[in-house]
Amino acid sequence: MPHKTLTRLPGLADVHVHLRVPGGEHKEDFFTGTAAAVAGGFTTVLAMPNTTPPLVTRETLHTVQKQAQAEALCDVHFYAGASADHLDELPALAQETVGLKIYADQTYGLLRIDTLATLLRCFETWPRGKPIAMHAEGRTIAVGIGLAATYGQRVHFCHVSRADEIELIAAAKAHGLPVTCEVTPHHLFLTEADAARLGPWGDMRPRLATQADVDALWAHIDATIDCIATDHAPHTRAEKLGPDAPPGVPGLETALPLMLTAVAEGRLTLERLIELMAHNPRRIFGLPEQPETWIEVDLDATYTLSDEGLHTKCGWSPFSGMSVRGKVESVQLRGLPIFTEGVIIRSPERTRY
Ligand code: DOR
Ligand code: ZN
Ligand code: ZN
């Protein structure tokens, strides 16, 4: 058999994952979610606060931090959630979180900021210089840009998915405003035609868009887009097949193979992929360095993505059946091997950060 050539890349960082702790452990937990992360080449993930209860108090933060220390296979950092009832917690939460997450539009979970008054309080209270990540769709992005300009706050737009949205963010950046954004693999590789084919397995917020929207995102891959983030949002098969199927799709184990396939097709360079999936996430969210940490990938491995063998508890992927080129072979975190040949390696010293 010909010898595999392995390419070493930095450990990736995903700034948008739902690990479902507390309250949604039947969908995912710190062990299964970070196993999926590591298998996908990520050594750092930023966890979203739309849990049950939501992460809006220091008490909840400290509980999940302890639990992640005990159970997670890679580094997990947390967002604080913005909630009208807990605004007084924000200055203290800011000290121990990577950013404030504001749900400004309708999505899964109860966290939502509905009034302008509360939105303004969030922007007044959150310390300058620390990012405010927004779930904002369509014209709500214009609201976020206005608030970034008015309050001198750094605003990071989650999962940008439409042509007009990415063009507005490009214009805001050209104007010198402190805004950044992420795009998900599902919005780069799937369209509304796939949504029709996939049914609940292709339903998420923001919804899949048109081919013209997808083309616009790719046109901004070298400039406006700062990060590729998965918005890994697992729900069980039973929930997806039920009457009120919740929106969201898993993505941690498919993001890098999909992006490496795009590299093989000449849609972006490997250097740009590393900026989007490792360097920019760390810079934007001020994440700590991880010494002696890397992943090794086989850039030539070609295979078909599948529901089989996934580490995420949900056990399915909207990308199953797609052929990709590029595979994670091994992962080392702070000098310890944590993944090799498809297998997670648990070691007692693994998580010290
Ligand atoms: O599709 C989505 N699912 N979009 C979100 O914003 C939330 C997420 C979830 O938590 O399931
Ligand atoms: Zn969202
Ligand atoms: Zn999300």
Side-chain angles (χ1 to χ4, degrees):
M1 217 169 82
H3 225 68
K4 275 184 211 167
T5 310
L6 297 183
T7 303
R8 191 171 283 187
L9 308 180
L12 307 179
D14 188 348
V15 303
H16 193 147
V17 304
H18 298 268
L19 295 179
R20 305 302 192 201
V21 182
E25 291 85 352
H26 62 290
K27 302 173 194 277
E28 199 76 287
D29 59 39
F30 285 133
F31 177 73
T32 58
T34 56
V38 167
F42 296 94
T43 54
T44 301
V45 293
L46 308 193
M48 284 295 170
N50 63 337
T51 48
T52 318
L55 201 167
V56 295
T57 64
R58 270 165 294 171
E59 196 189 341
T60 307
L61 173 65
H62 294 157
T63 306
V64 291
Q65 278 175 331
K66 264 195 220 109
Q67 211 176 330
Q69 276 286 345
E71 297 170 17
L73 294 154
C74 67
D75 294 1
V76 179
H77 304 275
F78 294 90
Y79 284 95
S83 141
D85 301 332
H86 297 278
L87 291 170
D88 51 323
E89 293 262 353
L90 292 184
L93 278 172
Q95 306 302 314
E96 299 178 72
T97 54
V98 289
L100 175 66
K101 176 68 183 280
I102 297 181
Y103 288 92
D105 283 308
Q106 180 75 29
T107 183
Y108 177 71
L110 299 174
L111 264 192
R112 189 113 55 253
I113 299 298
D114 286 323
T115 69
L116 179 60
T118 311
L119 208 48
L120 301 189
R121 287 283 307 283
C122 292
F123 274 78
E124 286 161 2
T125 314
W126 191 251
R128 303 284 170 288
K130 207 157 194 148
I132 296 179
M134 286 184 83
H135 179 122
E137 299 188 35
R139 64 186 175 176
T140 313
I141 292 184
V143 172
I145 291 172
L147 291 168
T150 306
Y151 289 94
Q153 286 279 20
R154 289 174 52 197
V155 174
H156 176 82
F157 291 102
C158 300
H159 43 49
V160 174
S161 63
R162 259 70 182 169
D164 46 8
E165 296 174 351
I166 198 70
E167 279 152 24
L168 175 59
I169 291 168
K173 286 185 165 198
H175 213 72
L177 296 177
V179 298
T180 54
C181 70
E182 68 189 38
V183 168
T184 69
H186 48 266
H187 293 118
L188 286 171
F189 290 89
L190 301 173
T191 66
E192 55 190 14
D194 296 296
R197 169 178 64 85
L198 290 162
W201 318 108
D203 180 39
M204 76 295 287
R205 300 293 174 275
R207 290 186 170 87
L208 295 174
T210 65
Q211 187 62 52
D213 289 313
V214 172
D215 293 344
L217 295 180
W218 280 107
H220 286 269
I221 198 85
D222 283 333
T224 315
I225 298 171
D226 296 285
C227 309
I228 301 297
T230 64
D231 196 4
H232 177 82
H235 298 287
T236 66
R237 285 175 191 271
E239 288 165 336
K240 279 294 198 180
L241 292 169
D244 285 315
V249 297
L252 281 165
E253 290 165 270
T254 46
L256 181 59
L258 288 165
M259 293 307 295
L260 287 174
T261 305
V263 169
E265 290 168 352
R267 306 178 88 180
L268 77 166
T269 64
L270 186 59
E271 289 66 36
R272 182 64 184 153
L273 181 153
I274 294 165
E275 279 172 20
L276 292 167
M277 299 184 82
H279 299 328
N280 289 351
R282 286 178 202 284
R283 179 176 47 78
I284 292 167
F285 290 92
L287 305 177
E289 287 297 317
Q290 296 175 305
E292 292 181 73
T293 298
W294 60 72
I295 67 173
E296 286 181 320
V297 295
D298 178 354
L299 296 175
D300 296 322
T302 52
Y303 57 103
T304 303
L305 295 174
S306 156
D307 291 350
E308 304 299 316
L310 293 173
H311 294 79
T312 174
K313 202 177 271 189
C314 76
W316 59 272
S317 161
F319 302 106
S320 287
M322 284 175 66
S323 42
V324 289
R325 176 168 184 158
K327 188 171 201 180
V328 180
E329 284 290 327
S330 66
V331 180
Q332 165 167 313
L333 175 60
R334 284 184 284 276
L336 292 175
I338 54 172
F339 180 77
T340 184
E341 290 175 8
V343 179
I344 293 287
I345 304 161
R346 294 195 84 161
S347 99
E349 328 97 284
R350 70 188 183 274
T351 46
R352 292 284 165 265
Y353 59 93

